[in-house]
Amino acid sequence: MDSRALGGFTVLLFGFWHLGLSATNYNCDDALVSPLPSTALTSSSELFSTHSPSFAKLNRRDGAGGWSPRDSNKQQWLQVDLGDRVEIVAVATQGRYGSSDWVTSYTLMFSDTGHNWKQYRQDDIIWVFTGNSNADSVVHHKFPHSVKARFLRFIPLKWNSAGQIGLRVEVFGCSYKSDIADFNGRSSLLYRFNQKLMSTFKDVVSLKFKSMQGDGVLFHGEGQRGNYITLELQKGKLALHINLGDSNLHFSNSHTSVTLGSLLDDQHWHSVLIERFNKQVNFTVDKHTQHFRTKGDSDHLDIDYELSFGGIPVPGKPGTFQRKNFHGCIENLYYNGVNIIDLAKRRKPQIYTVGNVTFSCSEPQIVPITFVSSSHSYLLLPGTPQIDGLSVSFQFRTWNKDGLLLFTELSENSGSLLVYLRSGRLMLLIQKETENPVEISEGTSLHDGLWHSVNINARRHRVTLALDNNPATASHATTVSRIYSGNSYYFGGCPDNFTDSQCLNPITAFQGCMRLIFIDNQPKDLILVQQGSLGNFSDLHIDLCGIKDRCLPNYCEHEGKCSQSWTTFYCDCNDTGYMGATCHNSIYEQSCEAYRHQGKTSGFFYIDSDGSGPLGPLRVFCNITEDKIWTSVQHNSTGLTRIQGTASGRPYTMAFNYNSSAEQLEAVINSAEYCEQEAAYLCKKSRLLNTPNGMPFTWWVGRANEKHLYWGGSLPGIQQCACGLEESCLDMRYFCNCDADRDEWTNDTGLLAFKDHLPVTQIVITDTNRSNSEAAWKIGPLRCYGDRQFWNAASFNTEASYLHFPTFHAEVSADISFFFKTSAVSGVFLENLGIKDFIRIEIRSPKEITFSIDVGNGPTEVTVQSPTPLNDNQWHYIRAERNHKQTSLQVDSLPKKVLEAPAEGHFRLQLNSQLFVG
């Protein structure tokens, strides 16, 4: 690139990372489909009997050589029943033998029961597998993490445009052995210790669980001294409570609670690992880990008699609270290496069973549905018209605060009934042209992602709305006309064709999940809806709840508060000191130099030395009056302090508090060209460094907690004061004025200016204990000038010129800013490549700057058009940013261009080459 000068280049980035678990490392790659009977393969439909799923095994050539559905659309699926829960590590696909029918991309779903499916995800996105490019070659995909399931569904997304869906499949894995216990909400297993008291400094608990209930105790243990450990579900999240302290001591506050996970009441397996060593605890739920330290001063957990799993069996035990027992299944439960469920199965005496615990998982056959679209989704179910009265009930969960839940036109001209969410409240409205509308409401914040049940009952003139099965708080209203049940019930939204349906939606369509729909006290079989023999629907996922918590993990940076809707999340950056879609950008400048360029005058300012990095802002004084812009950080004792009566056995110490962290001060110092702190020692018969070769009587402590034996004006490693270095001390036998030990006042004053040792964090003085001995000291504020991040230009004089740096690590969010000036027509400012991903900033034409990025969803470009040429050899400013929510580009003071990121899809930027600049 023929750029004359490209400079002022700053890269400030902030990345997230997490470790996954390693894939299965033992021999587990048996073909699982080929030995199955043909009846184990089923499908949504088949073109002819020769195209049935029984011919869909890999490499089969009989029949039509594979499965093809009646219609090729995205509602089709091919299902494999593997007979038992197995461990699945890979899948393979082919097209239909000798045909032009093959699938080019597909997704997978898995299930233990053939109901309540779960979409296969990687990196928390619904994973799209690359399929085939012809009929007969095999495309194989190995999973990074194995899946345990009995049923697997292949869902074609795209297929050969010159043919239709055609599929043959194989699944690879091995048998999966596990110990399962089923708890009914009134049962538990007690693990009895050999002695009265179990005192441990190290504990490891691991288990998997599945449940439909949002609350329940998974395990609990407690001791007489008030020690306890409890793991419980609370509103679909897991809470771990630990107390290692002695609650008999009134001043002890050693209770520690940590909450992790979300939506864990989805009747899918979730893994839990708790590792405790003394006060240090690692708490892992699925792939999310939290490390924390328990409060209190004890390292031991003292539990009396027993640990209970599945609940707290004896209400009224000292220290226990009235909590619900766990209702669901627990698998592979280990406590400190002991297989609790195996002991219970073998009826070992250490285990006492309370209530009815069985050793296979009883699965409720509940079919959830997901309303996908914010405009087109609806479910139509028939009612029994002209019945006197009405009865409808269902459960829903959503993150959206608005949405239509139910519409029905009542029979006998008795009006229309609507149930909807408005600002998180449940509203019921009965409208009739000739009468005033009747409206009742229930609840608040019902868009919290939890399941909520709704019951609507009407008899004659009275209608009742009950929320969450609580009749005590139900709302009632009276209508003028009698109410008769409707003919058609629309859930979630209305069809596009209004004339056919008469369905009215005064609010947006519902996005979320529903289940357990009853009309006129009859349960509705939603599988019949899926098969086309009951009602009608559009844009629904039947037999799965596709809810996702977009605030876990929290991608709002700098402690921003996360909230969400069905399709995206929002960050509240108030009181964080940061702004932007993910609270990435500091609201403060990085230095006093930057404030001077904004035309600011001297005063106190906050600076954020690492910009969007993890360090918070710091309050400093900017002296902008001189040629040099000085940054000054005050501490708690900058005045002159007099002292007497100190000796080596009784030293005087002062620790300095700069109202900031060591890392913040280090960042200010590292980004400055020069820093200093004045050190003054005024003395009368008080020695300072005890030169020429004695042990010092005074020293100071700097960065990294190192002790330093030189004084202001001297150099590191030389035990001298300024006058010793300048050979100007009062007594030439000593290297400090104060070391002459005279009866009259004198002083040693100078600047500490070796940056790697600053700031001064402590001073220690030990020689003011003799007769007539006295001293005074002063350590000035930390003062720095010169912004190394602001003034750092590089010139690129030929097209072959470039700088290269290590790989740009910015998986989730990053920003890049720099100034440039050039006379070139076009050229690349910056580029970093990965295997598929890349990031690039370039001048494409004299008036056009482009920021290009690919995180795996295909290239995205943001372009800013300038009304005037940018290759005018004047300085211009570029700032590019990319985060989970958007990609943006700012050039000079032109309007910022912003491109929203897709709601679903890849979001981690994975680069592996060097970062090239210029």
Side-chain angles (χ1 to χ4, degrees), residues 209 213-218 230-241 255 257-265 321 323 450:
F209 74 90
Q213 305 298 326
D215 300 279
V217 173
L218 283 152
T230 307
L231 178 72
E232 66 170 329
L233 275 168
Q234 289 180 336
K235 296 190 171 179
K237 302 183 178 195
L238 264 188
L240 176 63
H241 313 291
H255 172 79
S257 284
V258 171
T259 302
L260 199 54
S262 174
L263 311 172
L264 301 175
D265 55 347
F321 334 99
R323 285 187 160 111
L450 301 177

Side-chain angles (χ1 to χ4, degrees), residues 508-524:
T508 181
F510 172 73
Q511 279 180 296
C513 301
M514 285 191 193
R515 68 183 186 192
L516 296 172
I517 297 176
F518 284 73
I519 297 176
D520 301 326
N521 298 316
Q522 298 299 310
K524 293 296 178 180

Side-chain angles (χ1 to χ4, degrees), residues 82 84-88 110-112 147-152:
L82 296 162
D84 267 312
R85 271 180 84 211
V86 295
E87 184 162 0
I88 302 167
F110 52 92
S111 165
D112 285 354
V147 170
K148 282 84 175 174
R150 175 177 166 178
F151 295 88
L152 195 66

Side-chain angles (χ1 to χ4, degrees), residues 240-254:
L240 176 63
H241 313 291
I242 296 184
N243 186 10
L244 302 183
D246 191 340
S247 63
N248 298 330
L249 304 172
H250 290 297
F251 55 81
S252 163
N253 176 25
S254 46

Side-chain angles (χ1 to χ4, degrees), residues 110-122:
F110 52 92
S111 165
D112 285 354
T113 61
H115 287 301
N116 190 33
W117 294 85
K118 187 164 188 168
Q119 291 157 312
Y120 178 79
R121 291 177 178 264
Q122 275 184 37

Side-chain angles (χ1 to χ4, degrees), residues 156-202:
L157 293 183
K158 293 180 181 172
W159 43 92
N160 178 24
S161 56
Q164 55 188 356
I165 293 171
L167 199 55
R168 288 175 286 171
V169 300
E170 185 54 272
V171 177
F172 299 92
C174 54
S175 61
Y176 174 65
K177 294 286 180 277
S178 69
D179 294 303
I180 291 180
D182 189 305
F183 299 86
N184 62 8
R186 295 177 299 282
S187 54
S188 55
L189 293 176
L190 307 189
Y191 173 54
R192 297 259 161 97
F193 306 142
N194 296 330
Q195 64 266 36
K196 174 188 178 297
L197 174 73
M198 178 76 84
S199 184
T200 58
F201 65 89
K202 180 182 176 185

Side-chain angles (χ1 to χ4, degrees), residues 83-157:
D84 267 312
R85 271 180 84 211
V86 295
E87 184 162 0
I88 302 167
V89 299
V91 293
T93 59
Q94 279 174 305
R96 197 165 61 75
Y97 172 68
S99 74
S100 55
D101 301 343
W102 60 82
V103 170
T104 57
S105 69
Y106 61 94
T107 58
L108 289 176
M109 297 199 298
F110 52 92
S111 165
D112 285 354
T113 61
H115 287 301
N116 190 33
W117 294 85
K118 187 164 188 168
Q119 291 157 312
Y120 178 79
R121 291 177 178 264
Q122 275 184 37
D123 286 339
D124 207 31
I125 59 169
I126 297 167
W127 197 257
V128 177
F129 291 86
T130 305
N132 301 89
S133 55
N134 57 46
D136 293 311
S137 60
V138 176
V139 176
H140 192 275
H141 288 285
K142 190 168 175 59
F143 299 164
H145 310 286
S146 67
V147 170
K148 282 84 175 174
R150 175 177 166 178
F151 295 88
L152 195 66
R153 263 188 191 177
F154 294 79
I155 293 139
L157 293 183

Side-chain angles (χ1 to χ4, degrees), residues 65 125 166 175 197 218 236 265 267 269 277 298 328 335 362 376 398 419 511 596 603 639 645 743 838 875:
I125 59 169
S175 61
L197 174 73
L218 283 152
D265 55 347
Q267 195 60 20
W269 288 108
F277 184 74
S298 173
Y335 167 69
S362 62
H376 303 299
T398 186
V419 180
Q511 279 180 296
R596 204 261 312 248
D743 270 334
F838 71 87
W875 286 109

